[in-house]
Amino acid sequence: MKTDYLKALRDGEPLNFRDRIFLILKLSGPAMLAQISSIIMQYIDASMVGRLGANDSASIGLVSSSTWVVGGIMISLVEGFSVQIAHSIGAKDNKRARNLVKTGLIVNMLIAFLITIFLVSVSYALPIWLGGAEEIRRNATNYLFIYSLFTPVFMLNFLTCSMIQASGNMKVPSICDTIMFILDMIFNFFFIFPTATYKIFGFKLTIFGAGLGVSGAALGTGMSYVVVTIFLIIYLLFKSDILHLRKNERIHIKIDDLKKAFKISLPLAFERGITSGASVAVTRIIAPLGSVSVAANSFAVTAEALCYMPGYGVQSAATTIIGQSIGAKRTDQTKKLGLISIGTGMIIMAFTGILMFFFAPYMIGILTPDPEIRALGTTILRIESFAEPFFGASIVGSGVFRGAGDTLAPSLMCLFSLWCVRVPLSIILVKSYGLKGVWIAMATELTVRGIIFLIRFFRGKWENKLLNK
């Protein structure tokens, strides 16, 4: 019985179909829990703010697509180092992996501070550029400003999680994400709502609250990241079996490592940018429809994430597995592992899509008491549910390609899919169907994207994009 399938992969041991399944499930399980915990945290934010009213919800919804742009770019920059770490560990070059950890920390934190400066400078003007109604602009600006101050913490969190996962450890990031969502719930409660008296089990209890509203949601999330990120740094640098610091190993910033990092990261950043940029464009299309449509769109995006985040869990596992397989030069296993990973993602997301169709009213109902927003949110969620399996193919397929160092072609595929299908179709359909038309366009585009990702996988060209031949 092989208990450490990832080690068996690195050591060149044979892996049968059952072993490959267990390897993917073993790494995907904790990663999926981590992703689900992350979206539950967003769910908590949206639900708490939703109790404040449609305008407060719309203020966050207006700038949320922009924060996704920033978050996506930061995650992409992290991948340039974590993929190389996975390759190095697969090749049993652990010393290089540790040097990449130190290099990645320095480079990415410098970039994070530059991003912070940029976000602070545009926080006032962005809600105006996005066409937000005057009554929601101030809260949108406050939310974005506070978010921007925590940008270095977000970057550090993404970086440490990704590096720990690249070593094959999915449990620690998963546990940390679970703790973070609990902290987020506690911090948000205190920061969003004012001091109030609650009746609990027949007893009256007065609980202090800062009453910051929308600003409190950003502050609560940021503080939860701070607490958990401190632990992740300590674990990565002092506790990780493979990656912890050694006294006799000094940092050597190598130009080749930086070139490879940016060769991987820049197409990913481009992909994340065009994905989130398309979301910003769609937000601009939706904004004139009014606060109800903006809020319904924001809540539906949050609710849908419960269905597709398990796919991102499988994606994280696939990137680690394929990366270490390539580092170990296991050409006999790479494509087989990729196929099982994609199939697993599609099956999981087909199931979550079915759940989303039937439970859509309850998923939206948790987020807002407004009946008009609930009705519209339920309708658009059900439209989207049919595209989930193909969305899963593109999510996990991207992770497979990323593990192989193949990031440019998938980015161009996303560019085509989003800007040649989703955005133009949204512009056409919004005129006749409003927000429902935008989500029909989204479901169509996700299906197209999944199909072209599957075509690229089966054609096999991504296998030739190996960085460590």
Side-chain angles (χ1 to χ4, degrees):
M1 289 285 292
K2 303 179 182 70
T3 55
D4 191 341
Y5 295 99
L6 203 54
K7 184 176 184 299
L9 180 70
R10 294 195 297 265
D11 291 343
E13 296 180 24
L15 295 176
N16 56 34
F17 179 76
R18 176 183 173 278
D19 294 336
R20 291 191 288 271
I21 289 286
F22 271 88
L23 171 59
I24 291 165
L25 292 179
K26 183 178 179 181
L27 268 67
S28 295
M32 283 191 287
L33 289 175
Q35 294 292 345
I36 291 171
S37 297
S38 174
I39 197 57
I40 288 175
M41 186 163 61
Q42 295 179 40
Y43 225 93
I44 293 167
D45 281 1
S47 178
M48 288 183 174
V49 174
R51 295 300 182 269
L52 301 176
N55 284 341
D56 291 306
S57 300
S59 65
I60 293 181
L62 183 67
V63 296
S64 60
S65 56
S66 301
T67 60
W68 295 337
V69 173
V70 176
I73 290 173
M74 288 193 291
I75 291 171
S76 302
L77 294 170
V78 162
E79 294 287 353
F81 291 96
S82 61
V83 168
Q84 289 190 82
I85 289 170
H87 288 180
S88 299
I89 293 173
K92 298 185 178 181
D93 189 354
N94 295 342
K95 184 176 180 179
R96 177 174 180 261
R98 290 188 289 271
N99 191 65
L100 285 164
V101 167
K102 290 177 278 191
T103 303
L105 286 169
I106 293 172
V107 172
N108 281 280
M109 290 313 297
L110 288 173
I111 294 172
F113 283 112
L114 293 176
I115 293 173
T116 300
I117 294 170
F118 171 76
L119 278 180
V120 169
S121 66
V122 302
S123 61
Y124 175 77
L126 187 61
I128 300 173
W129 297 340
L130 292 173
E134 188 172 350
E135 61 267 22
I136 68 174
R137 289 177 188 171
R138 181 178 178 181
N139 277 338
T141 291
N142 292 340
Y143 185 88
L144 183 61
F145 177 79
I146 294 171
Y147 173 92
S148 67
L149 297 180
F150 285 99
T151 299
V153 180
F154 298 148
M155 174 71 92
L156 200 52
N157 181 275
F158 300 151
L159 188 62
T160 50
C161 277
S162 185
M163 288 176 170
I164 293 169
Q165 287 175 341
S167 72
N169 185 337
M170 299 291 180
K171 291 182 180 179
V172 167
S174 175
I175 293 170
C176 286
D177 275 344
T178 302
I179 294 171
M180 187 161 62
F181 111 75
I182 294 172
L183 290 175
D184 183 60
M185 180 170 57
I186 296 170
F187 286 143
N188 275 3
F189 184 85
F190 285 110
F191 286 128
I192 292 175
F193 301 112
T195 300
T197 300
Y198 301 90
K199 194 171 184 179
I200 303 174
F201 300 115
F203 296 96
K204 289 184 178 181
L205 180 64
T206 299
I207 300 178
F208 169 80
L212 298 177
V214 170
S215 298
L219 187 59
T221 298
M223 290 303 298
S224 65
Y225 266 90
V226 169
V227 174
V228 169
T229 302
I230 290 172
F231 173 80
L232 285 168
I233 295 170
I234 293 171
Y235 182 87
L236 174 68
L237 298 182
F238 302 104
K239 300 294 184 180
S240 173
D241 291 339
I242 297 175
L243 299 177
H244 78 264
L245 297 177
R246 269 70 166 178
K247 291 182 179 179
N248 59 337
E249 292 179 358
R250 294 185 178 181
I251 183 173
H252 297 285
I253 298 178
K254 300 179 180 179
I255 300 300
D256 285 345
D257 290 342
L258 294 177
K259 286 180 179 178
K260 286 183 179 180
F262 285 108
K263 184 178 179 181
I264 295 169
S265 291
L266 290 181
L268 282 174
F270 174 68
E271 177 185 334
R272 301 269 187 174
I274 59 177
T275 300
S276 301
S279 296
V280 173
V282 171
T283 300
R284 185 67 181 85
I285 294 169
I286 294 169
L289 298 177
S291 293
V292 170
S293 289
V294 173
N297 180 72
S298 177
F299 287 140
V301 168
T302 301
E304 187 212 359
L306 279 173
C307 296
Y308 66 68
M309 278 302 176
Y312 279 103
V314 181
Q315 180 197 71
S316 297
T319 300
T320 297
I321 293 167
I322 298 301
Q324 293 203 18
S325 176
I326 285 172
K329 302 189 184 301
R330 295 299 302 272
T331 55
D332 60 318
Q333 297 291 338
T334 302
K335 192 166 186 178
K336 295 174 182 177
L337 288 165
L339 180 59
I340 295 173
S341 297
I342 292 175
T344 300
M346 292 186 71
I347 291 170
I348 290 172
M349 287 187 59
F351 177 70
T352 58
I354 292 170
L355 293 179
M356 183 167 72
F357 183 89
F358 287 105
F359 290 96
Y362 306 101
M363 296 169 72
I364 294 293
I366 292 172
L367 296 173
T368 176
D370 189 303
E372 193 175 358
I373 296 175
R374 283 184 176 185
L376 185 55
T378 296
T379 300
I380 59 179
L381 272 184
R382 285 176 168 166
I383 291 170
E384 184 75 3
S385 64
F386 293 97
E388 293 301 304
F390 288 101
F391 191 17
S394 66
I395 290 172
V396 183
S398 177
V400 170
F401 302 149
R402 189 178 307 165
D406 177 25
T407 55
L408 179 58
S411 299
L412 295 175
M413 288 155 58
C414 281
L415 172 65
F416 164 79
S417 181
L418 286 163
W419 288 96
C420 296
V421 179
R422 181 184 297 191
V423 173
L425 200 56
S426 295
I427 294 172
I428 294 169
L429 295 179
V430 73
K431 296 177 182 179
S432 301
Y433 301 100
L435 185 60
K436 289 181 283 188
V438 174
W439 280 67
I440 291 171
M442 188 188 304
T444 302
E445 181 272 319
L446 290 176
T447 301
V448 170
R449 194 194 310 181
I451 291 171
I452 59 179
F453 267 72
L454 287 171
I455 291 172
R456 178 165 182 78
F457 177 83
F458 285 111
R459 288 182 65 184
K461 290 187 176 181
W462 59 275
E463 294 177 277
N464 298 322
K465 304 289 184 178
L466 309 185
L467 298 180
N468 293 326
K469 293 183 180 179

